[in-house]
Amino acid sequence: MISDTLKKSSLQNFKAAKNGKRVVLFGAGEHWVDCRADVLDEGDRIPYVVDNDPGIQGGKWHGLDIHAPGKLGEEEAGGFIVLITHGHVFECAAQLEGMGIFDYFALYLFHDYFISRGIVQHFPGRKVKHFQNPYVGRKLEANLNIIDICNLRCKMCSSRVTDERQKNAKGEVPYEKILSILDQVAKVRDKVDLRGVLYTANGESLLHSRFADIVRETKERNLNVRTITNGVLLKADIAVALLKADAEISISITGIIPEVYKDFQGYAPTMERTTSILDTVVKNVTELTKLKAELHSNAPISVLYLVTKENAGHFVDYLSFFTGLGVDVNTAILVDRDEEVLPDTQYVYKDATGEGYGKLWVQKKSGYFNSLPCFFPFIITMDGDVNPCCHGRWQPPFPILGNVHESSLFEILFSESTLNMIRAIDTLDINKMPELCKVCKHLMA
């Protein structure tokens, strides 16, 4: 039922279906702000918004009261229609149907509206490809999922690591299977512009019992290595292997004082334990920079800091400390959804003395545009399935292009179905684009 309902989602169908009904918004989605004037008609009534976030329930959003979804149970059957206004379309749809509500639409699927506004024109330099091989000019990276367990529970983690998920974790991919996959990746390296292998996904890759060996084997196949880690295990043989491979090492560490660190990454139940973990990470990064100099390594080392209004005042001290170590500081800054910012704007930050810098980018959605090239990086899951990107893992149905244990990676990447899918994304052919891609937040910016 969900797929049928989502397929009918369009502005034209929505306008025909509401027919004087009350329109309840599901989700305080930024996208709604730019679109509401065109989506609503004179006389449309929006009584309130429902949202699953308990932190905003009871408050207001653009003058509308925010309630828990259970509020919908008070509505008269047939007298209202629900409009899902953010990107978690499939989760919301399943939740609504579980409540017995089937009269809903998804704003992110109103392609008759977005295309009519000229979304491709946002990028006039982007031309439709006519190459037989859509990989031409597309830089790829193979994201290998080698483990699904983690030693932290970071609240900003895109892998959504929770205690509940960890109970059902599979563990690590056998070493021999990883080597087999690396052989396949190496074979396609010259067929596509493949930069290398990224080790990060639904767990802390450094927890793999053979991670140092995996790094060495990756480099031996002339593949670049990149990893994003929480830094707790970034020492000893793992650190040496990464540095000798000139790997790109990104350490996610928000804060150099326990109070900030615990708020974002503090899995530990006590402040004492949080302090111990933070001290370990800071020591590991410090020793890593020293070891880099000793080994004459060219490995780029960076730290990742998530800036919010609550911790922005701490950023200068953080910046000064890590730039003092010679570490690059990359910072994602979260802004209020009503704050006016330019999409994809990069900023350079210096402290009051002019020392140090941080590369900042803004995480915000404010429109719909073609954020090509997609398919970077493609994912090889723990089961060997190949997914076109890293964002479909948590929001089924997502496209599975094939399985590396059943056919070669080359056959998967160059199958007609895969090539047609990429061409549909390149040309924004909504009819041929996978359902998940139609609501991808990376087509929203």
Side-chain angles (χ1 to χ4, degrees), residues 294-344:
E294 294 174 6
L295 296 176
H296 304 288
S297 170
N298 293 317
I301 303 174
S302 63
V303 290
L304 309 175
Y305 187 89
L306 184 66
V307 177
T308 66
K309 286 185 176 181
E310 290 73 25
N311 69 9
H314 173 59
F315 179 56
V316 172
D317 292 337
Y318 176 98
L319 183 69
S320 299
F321 178 81
F322 282 109
T323 54
L325 294 178
V327 173
D328 197 9
V329 178
N330 291 324
T331 308
I333 180 168
L334 297 185
V335 299
D336 288 341
R337 50 173 60 100
D338 294 329
E339 186 176 340
E340 290 297 326
V341 294
L342 295 176
D344 295 337

Side-chain angles (χ1 to χ4, degrees), residues 120 128-129 370 372 422-430 433:
V120 179
V128 175
K129 292 184 177 182
N370 189 345
L372 301 175
I422 300 175
R423 293 187 186 107
I425 295 172
D426 277 3
T427 58
L428 284 176
D429 187 339
I430 301 300
M433 193 183 295

Side-chain angles (χ1 to χ4, degrees), residues 197-394:
V197 177
L198 167 63
Y199 292 106
T200 185
N202 33 341
E204 170 58 56
S205 295
L206 274 60
L207 281 170
H208 196 288
S209 60
R210 302 289 299 273
F211 186 71
D213 293 328
I214 292 168
V215 171
R216 286 188 283 266
E217 291 289 345
T218 306
K219 191 62 177 179
E220 283 186 12
R221 287 161 176 77
N222 199 28
L223 295 167
N224 293 332
V225 179
R226 186 163 73 98
T227 189
I228 301 175
T229 172
N230 58 43
V232 176
L233 300 174
L234 195 54
K235 53 190 174 183
D237 60 331
I238 291 178
V240 171
L242 287 168
L243 292 172
K244 286 187 174 180
D246 291 330
E248 184 177 333
I249 309 168
S250 297
I251 306 108
S252 177
I253 171 174
T254 293
I256 54 169
I257 60 174
E259 291 76 13
V260 174
Y261 187 76
K262 182 173 178 59
D263 186 32
F264 286 87
Q265 298 178 269
Y267 168 56
T270 66
M271 187 61 72
E272 181 180 6
R273 180 58 180 151
T274 297
T275 301
S276 175
I277 294 173
L278 176 59
D279 288 344
T280 296
V281 175
V282 172
K283 179 182 178 181
N284 288 348
V285 178
T286 304
E287 294 299 322
L288 187 69
T289 58
K290 294 179 181 178
L291 188 58
K292 175 182 174 179
E294 294 174 6
L295 296 176
H296 304 288
S297 170
N298 293 317
I301 303 174
S302 63
V303 290
L304 309 175
Y305 187 89
L306 184 66
V307 177
T308 66
K309 286 185 176 181
E310 290 73 25
N311 69 9
H314 173 59
F315 179 56
V316 172
D317 292 337
Y318 176 98
L319 183 69
S320 299
F321 178 81
F322 282 109
T323 54
L325 294 178
V327 173
D328 197 9
V329 178
N330 291 324
T331 308
I333 180 168
L334 297 185
V335 299
D336 288 341
R337 50 173 60 100
D338 294 329
E339 186 176 340
E340 290 297 326
V341 294
L342 295 176
D344 295 337
T345 300
Q346 292 192 20
Y347 302 88
V348 175
Y349 181 92
K350 292 187 178 181
D351 61 23
T353 66
E355 297 296 325
Y357 67 96
K359 299 175 183 176
L360 296 93
W361 65 91
V362 173
Q363 291 186 352
K364 178 176 177 177
K365 300 191 288 287
S366 60
Y368 187 101
F369 76 100
N370 189 345
S371 63
L372 301 175
C374 291
F375 215 77
F376 170 80
F378 62 89
I379 310 296
I380 301 178
T381 70
M382 293 183 64
D383 296 325
D385 290 337
V386 179
N387 300 148
C389 74
C390 60
H391 304 288
R393 293 173 297 161
W394 319 120

